[in-house]
């Protein structure tokens, strides 16, 4: 059942390598950093679409005014500009909106400060391209915001999901699978916290390459008959999942560093983001099982279906690995 669901997912995911690397699917980013008085420094980053900035633009609350922003510059992946806005009376009660976002397939991350050091993060989507800035964001709102960001990150992280999918296919015993998923969760939670708090620092480029290689390794093991698989991977899948989970946690930490943490609520935001990642992971696993249950009577797969799945997973992961190595050395 699980194998059938996985094969269906892989068929639908053949265009992933191109889509995941496509600049047009990158999120936008808007940051409003409180300065002195009623001034905010605005940093705006747009995804690249065919060599030009995506046609989206931020709209600040009605009480804000600024000079025309400088022309955006291409940084190799997106288009960025920065300027200063004056907002008498502050941001609270006003609407922050990204015009044109409703016509795209991307999101925009908004990080704003109601006062210096009081940062809040909000995610805008094509279906909800604006929001009203609350007067005093409560801890519950901050918690919910970071849970949502964690869920979004894991569900949009095709490499992490492909690793979990390969693990589901490789470990067929329910008890050992539970132990492996738990080990993966524990490991990436450790490095997520350590890297985010600055206790562990590694450059992101090689980390992304190793994440892709971890998927290639699982795909290779899946392609082999059980008697020819690596003894450690076959007998102790939880140990393998824990080791690779440490690397995947560094990937999660890189995303969280880009988002930023509220200085007053770092422990709570860390917990919320990690819970969101785990919730997204569980949703993905549940979806695979649900798809398998729905389609098990419809599709007929060859006996070597596991090899087909292994080669599909390995091909996608190898593509990512080569692309990331190219990006490292170019």
């Amino acid at each position: 059942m699980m194998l059938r669901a996985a094969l269906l997912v892989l068929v639908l995911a053949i265009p992933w390598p191109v889509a995941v690397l496509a600049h047009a699917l990158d999120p936008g980013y808007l940051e409003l950093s409180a300065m002195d008085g009623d001034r905010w420094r605005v940093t705006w980053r747009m995804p690249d679409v065919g060599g030009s900035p995506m046609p989206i633009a931020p709209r600040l609350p009605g009480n804000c005014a600024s000079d025309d922003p400088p022309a955006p510059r291409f940084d190799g992946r997106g288009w960025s500009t920065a300027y200063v806005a004056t907002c008498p009376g502050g941001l609270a009660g006003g609407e922050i909106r990204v015009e044109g976002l409703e016509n795209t397939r991307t999101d925009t991350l908004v990080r704003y400060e109601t006062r210096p050091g009081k940062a809040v993060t909000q995610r805008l989507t094509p279906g909800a391209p604006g929001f009203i800035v609350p007067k005093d964001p409560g801890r519950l709102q901050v918690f919910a915001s970071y849970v949502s960001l964690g869920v979004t990150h894991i569900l949009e992280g095709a490499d992490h999901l492909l690793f979990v999918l390969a693990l589901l296919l490789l470990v067929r015993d329910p008890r050992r699978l539970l132990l492996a998923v738990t080990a993966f969760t524990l490991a990436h939670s450790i490095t997520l916290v350590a890297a985010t708090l600055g206790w562990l620092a590694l450059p992101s480029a090689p980390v992304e390459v190793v994440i892709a290689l971890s998927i290639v390794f699982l795909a290779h093991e899946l392609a082999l008959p059980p008697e020819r698989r690596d003894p450690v991977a076959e007998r102790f899948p939880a140990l393998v999942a824990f080791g690779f989970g440490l690397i995947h946690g560094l990937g999660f930490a890189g995303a969280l560093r880009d988002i930023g943490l509220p200085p007053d609520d770092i422990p709570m935001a860390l917990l919320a983001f990690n819970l969101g990642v785990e919730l997204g992971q569980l949703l993905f696993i549940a979806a695979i099982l649900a798809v398998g249950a729905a389609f098990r009577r419809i599709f007929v797969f060859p006996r070597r279906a596991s090899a087909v799945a292994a080669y599909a997973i390995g091909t996608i992961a190898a593509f990512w690995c080569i692309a990331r190595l190219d990006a490292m050395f170019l």
Side-chain angles (χ1 to χ4, degrees):
M1 180 181 70
M2 190 183 299
L3 182 57
R4 294 175 180 178
L7 283 173
L8 181 62
V9 170
L10 287 169
V11 168
L12 297 175
I14 292 301
W16 272 8
V18 176
V20 170
L21 295 174
H23 294 170
L25 298 181
D26 288 347
Y29 181 73
L30 175 63
E31 182 174 354
L32 288 86
S33 301
M35 302 171 65
D36 56 299
D38 294 326
R39 299 195 305 159
W40 273 260
R41 179 172 179 80
V42 182
T43 303
W44 170 234
R45 186 175 188 277
M46 296 160 283
D48 176 72
V49 181
S52 300
M54 179 179 283
I56 56 177
R59 190 183 76 187
L60 303 184
N63 62 318
C64 295
S66 66
D67 296 330
D68 291 336
R73 293 187 175 184
F74 186 60
D75 59 12
R77 194 170 180 86
W79 297 80
S80 301
T81 186
Y83 56 95
V84 174
T86 301
C87 306
L91 302 175
E95 183 185 38
I96 296 177
R97 188 178 184 86
V98 176
E99 300 286 358
L101 188 64
E102 65 275 9
N103 301 320
T104 71
R105 292 182 296 142
T106 191
D107 301 337
T108 294
L109 194 66
V110 179
R111 186 175 188 268
Y112 65 94
E113 292 182 340
T114 52
R115 61 178 186 272
K118 186 65 175 179
V120 183
T121 303
Q122 181 82 23
R123 174 175 165 262
L124 301 182
T125 67
F131 70 101
I132 302 298
V133 179
K135 291 185 178 180
D136 186 17
R139 292 173 63 86
L140 182 59
Q141 181 179 348
V142 174
F143 184 87
S145 173
Y146 276 86
V147 169
S148 174
L149 290 169
V151 172
T152 301
H153 177 70
I154 185 66
L155 293 182
E156 293 180 350
D159 48 1
H160 301 297
L161 294 183
L162 207 59
F163 180 90
V164 174
L165 177 60
L167 197 62
L168 289 173
L169 296 176
L170 187 63
V171 185
R172 309 305 293 273
D173 179 72
R175 180 176 174 276
R176 299 174 73 200
L177 175 61
L178 177 62
L179 289 175
V181 172
T182 301
F184 181 67
T185 295
L186 177 62
H188 69 62
S189 298
I190 292 171
T191 46
L192 168 63
V193 172
T196 303
L197 295 179
W199 301 339
L200 178 64
L202 287 175
S204 61
V207 168
E208 294 299 323
V209 172
V210 175
I211 288 174
L213 286 174
S214 71
I215 306 169
V216 173
F217 172 80
L218 290 187
H220 173 263
E221 292 301 306
L222 183 62
L224 298 174
E227 64 274 8
R228 292 181 54 198
R229 291 173 183 168
D230 184 280
V232 175
E234 182 66 17
R235 296 178 59 189
F236 306 105
L239 183 60
V240 173
F242 184 86
F244 284 132
L246 295 174
I247 302 298
H248 282 252
L250 295 175
F252 295 139
L256 188 54
R257 280 195 300 270
D258 292 340
I259 294 169
L261 290 169
D264 298 338
D265 292 308
I266 289 178
M268 184 186 67
L270 266 175
L271 174 63
F273 185 82
N274 202 50
L275 287 175
V277 168
E278 301 318 314
L279 178 59
Q281 184 173 286
L282 291 174
L283 288 173
F284 175 73
I285 293 173
I288 293 295
L289 296 177
V291 169
F295 288 92
R296 61 183 172 181
R297 297 185 182 275
I298 300 176
F299 296 96
V300 178
F301 295 93
R303 287 190 298 176
R304 290 294 294 162
S306 61
V308 175
Y311 282 109
I313 292 172
T315 299
I316 294 172
F319 180 92
W320 286 334
C321 185
I322 293 170
R324 292 169 182 181
L325 283 171
D326 283 345
M328 278 180 59
F329 296 108
L330 288 181

